[in-house]
Amino acid sequence: MDVKSALQSARERHLQELKDLLSIPSISALPAHKDDMQKAAEWMANALQKIGMENVNIMPTGGHPVVYGDWLKAEDKPTVLIYGHYDVQPVDPLDLWETPPFEADIRDGKIYARGATDDKGQVFMHIKAVEALMNTYGELPVNVKFCIEGEEEVGSPHLDEFVDQHQELLSANVLVISDNPMLEKGQPSVCYGLRGLCGLQIDVKGAKGDLHSGLYGGGVPNPLHELADLLSSMHDDKGRVSVEGFYDDVIPLSTDEKEAYDDLNYDEESLREELDVPALYGEEGYTFLERTWVRPTLEINGMHGGFQGEGTKTVLPSEASAKITCRLVPGQNPDKIMQLLEQHIERHHSHAVTVNITPFDKGKPFVTPFDHPAIQAAGDSLQHAYGVHPAYTRMGGSLPIAETFSDILDIPIVLMGFGLPTENFHAPNEHFHLENFDKGLEAICHYYNTLGETLK
């Protein structure tokens, strides 16, 4: 029996096992589900043991445990580290779910449940792919290590320390993650880079309390005016960030990458219509994909100050604040960008007010070289399973755990996800298309079957 036949014959069993996993309400953000988190970790450990993994261990952290298991008997073959997470998001609002979130329901070719696509369904696929390879050949074509954590949905607060303390245990030739969406339905994709993150809050303080605008307006500084001037100084009229030095370390897009993006023929007009905006916007001279994948940004996420109620109140507020995040690209360091932002704010704010800066999350960008054999092999495997040429993409968002592995373990990362952007992860009625469950399993098996020769 070949691997594809093995997968097909085991499909109903796989779906039942997946339903069992999805029935565990492993919500890491809610202390009331601590026992469920342990139950999910034990389920993962048992699943690894059943498929022949060795050294399976539920390893403690400062929070929820990490599940580890390996199979290291493929001599002179590369080692693949597979990352996933068993925790899920809360389910609120519950009344918007068509079926209970922890009672998996299959309808219209999709499986509905919390965690179906993010990330239980996708990490489950890697377990079943390894099982199919083991059952078919009696061994694996590569060495395999699993690292399945339970805190991704709360920011992986203990993963950095865990990876740092277990560098030798987790050492590998490539890291594979399936916790991201495909480009679109029918269009598989390999993601080889993510932007980093740098965030802060700006608080502007004027008088000791709110003032009557008729008695004091025009005579004392207005924090809202000062904040608006400060924020407007951060971009020019062509969409570029005006912070001095912001672009100094940006690594330009390669010719091959640009051609690959152009070949996607991304329909910006359809996007504009879908978003219902008069026009798209961004840094002049770049396409939408380039602006959101490979160019850095500075965005105002929120502003607050003064009277917010209905009607009018003639007040001159004493305080105003704004929250800002920058998405960073390879070459940029979040600590340096934070310093540049602080210097810009100091140079441009009025000294008639007091300005305080509070740094928020920071994360480094990462990119695996576009032509890396592990990336190209992933694309070949997707084409084998789907019958269409895959897209090679970066993503505009940030995935701190990817940067953690890249920075500490110094290994290439392949993001080969099988979810779709429309599958409601983090929202009611989360679901996973079984078409991608089936083809994704075939792609993963093909990938591991060929990776041993690819990375020699």
Side-chain angles (χ1 to χ4, degrees):
M1 182 181 293
D2 61 20
V3 174
K4 186 173 182 179
S5 298
L7 291 172
Q8 291 173 341
S9 65
R11 187 175 189 267
E12 291 307 312
R13 173 174 62 84
H14 288 169
L15 291 178
Q16 185 55 55
E17 290 176 359
L18 179 55
K19 285 183 177 182
D20 292 341
L21 173 60
L22 294 173
S23 72
I24 305 172
S26 49
I27 304 172
S28 54
L30 301 179
H33 289 278
K34 182 178 180 179
D35 290 345
D36 294 314
M37 293 298 299
Q38 182 65 28
K39 183 178 179 181
E42 292 171 356
W43 195 102
M44 286 292 183
N46 289 334
L48 294 181
Q49 289 174 335
K50 288 178 181 178
I51 66 170
M53 294 298 99
E54 301 175 344
N55 302 307
V56 176
N57 194 7
I58 299 176
M59 306 180 70
T61 71
H64 301 299
V66 169
V67 180
Y68 175 85
D70 61 37
W71 190 91
L72 306 175
K73 298 179 180 180
E75 292 186 13
D76 301 321
K77 297 295 184 180
T79 298
V80 180
L81 176 62
I82 302 166
Y83 166 86
H85 63 91
Y86 60 85
D87 64 321
V88 299
Q89 282 278 324
V91 298
D92 307 278
L94 186 60
D95 62 308
L96 295 183
W97 286 81
E98 293 182 20
T99 52
F102 296 109
E103 295 178 17
D105 182 57
I106 295 177
R107 57 185 187 272
D108 302 323
K110 307 164 193 172
I111 184 167
Y112 285 79
R114 173 60 86 226
T117 187
D118 182 20
D119 179 42
K120 287 180 177 178
Q122 297 200 64
V123 72
F124 176 84
M125 290 167 65
H126 283 274
I127 296 173
K128 294 296 114 177
V130 168
E131 178 189 58
L133 291 169
M134 188 75 84
N135 289 344
T136 302
Y137 304 115
E139 60 182 5
L140 297 179
V142 291
N143 298 294
V144 167
K145 297 179 178 180
F146 282 90
C147 177
I148 309 173
E149 71 153 320
E151 297 187 313
E152 195 276 342
E153 298 293 5
V154 291
S156 303
H158 299 99
L159 190 64
D160 284 15
E161 182 181 9
F162 180 86
V163 175
D164 188 52
Q165 290 178 349
H166 299 91
Q167 293 184 43
E168 184 174 351
L169 180 72
L170 300 173
S171 64
N173 299 101
V174 62
L175 171 67
V176 178
I177 301 176
S178 295
D179 189 21
N180 59 294
M182 296 164 45
L183 190 63
E184 59 185 19
K185 182 176 174 60
Q187 179 58 73
S189 56
V190 183
C191 178
Y192 60 95
L194 296 167
R195 292 194 290 188
L197 184 67
C198 175
L200 72 155
Q201 179 168 316
I202 304 172
D203 294 300
V204 180
K205 174 69 174 175
K208 63 182 180 180
D210 290 354
L211 301 174
H212 190 293
S213 65
L215 298 177
Y216 293 96
V220 296
N222 185 323
L224 280 172
H225 294 181
E226 301 292 349
L227 180 63
D229 287 344
L230 180 58
L231 296 176
S232 68
S233 74
M234 293 183 176
H235 290 89
D236 66 17
D237 59 2
K238 298 184 183 301
R240 282 179 60 85
V241 177
S242 300
V243 175
E244 186 176 339
F246 188 80
Y247 295 97
D248 286 356
D249 300 321
V250 172
I251 299 174
L253 185 66
S254 71
T255 301
D256 287 344
E257 289 177 282
K258 182 170 177 55
E259 290 177 353
Y261 297 170
D262 291 342
D263 288 344
L264 295 175
N265 295 315
Y266 190 79
D267 191 342
E268 294 191 4
E269 178 59 21
S270 292
L271 174 67
R272 185 199 66 77
E273 292 177 355
E274 178 186 346
L275 298 177
D276 195 23
V277 293
L280 299 180
Y281 169 82
E283 187 181 0
E284 189 174 77
Y286 295 92
T287 66
F288 175 82
L289 293 184
E290 291 169 349
R291 291 169 181 168
T292 56
W293 287 357
V294 300
R295 297 298 294 172
T297 63
L298 186 156
E299 296 290 344
I300 302 166
N301 306 126
M303 299 174 63
H304 179 81
F307 179 61
Q308 303 289 322
E310 294 184 10
T312 184
K313 182 181 181 182
T314 55
V315 63
L316 194 159
S318 67
E319 297 177 336
S321 63
K323 297 180 187 293
I324 290 174
T325 52
C326 298
R327 298 289 177 169
L328 310 180
V329 298
Q332 292 182 301
N333 182 290
D335 292 324
K336 180 178 178 180
I337 294 299
M338 181 66 72
Q339 184 179 30
L340 294 176
L341 291 170
E342 291 173 347
Q343 292 171 353
H344 179 93
I345 292 167
E346 179 61 28
R347 284 195 300 267
H348 287 81
H349 82 74
S350 167
H351 292 281
V353 294
T354 301
V355 175
N356 290 313
I357 300 169
T358 304
F360 287 153
D361 296 342
K362 289 186 288 186
K364 294 179 181 178
F366 95 89
V367 63
T368 298
F370 175 69
D371 57 357
H372 193 285
I375 295 293
Q376 295 302 314
D380 291 343
S381 296
L382 289 170
Q383 184 158 355
H384 169 82
Y386 283 84
V388 299
H389 187 68
Y392 294 91
T393 73
R394 298 197 206 178
M395 284 177 58
S398 304
L399 191 61
I401 56 98
E403 184 271 322
T404 293
F405 284 110
S406 176
D407 186 48
I408 297 177
L409 299 183
D410 190 26
I411 56 176
I413 300 175
V414 176
L415 289 159
M416 187 166 56
F418 300 97
L420 293 177
T422 57
E423 288 179 336
N424 290 3
F425 38 88
H426 292 204
N429 300 309
E430 179 181 349
H431 58 278
F432 189 26
H433 284 67
L434 294 182
E435 174 190 14
N436 292 324
F437 178 81
D438 296 330
K439 291 182 178 180
L441 276 168
E442 185 180 349
I444 294 169
C445 288
H446 186 273
Y447 186 52
Y448 294 149
N449 243 340
T450 59
L451 200 58
E453 301 302 321
T454 302
L455 292 185
K456 272 192 171 182

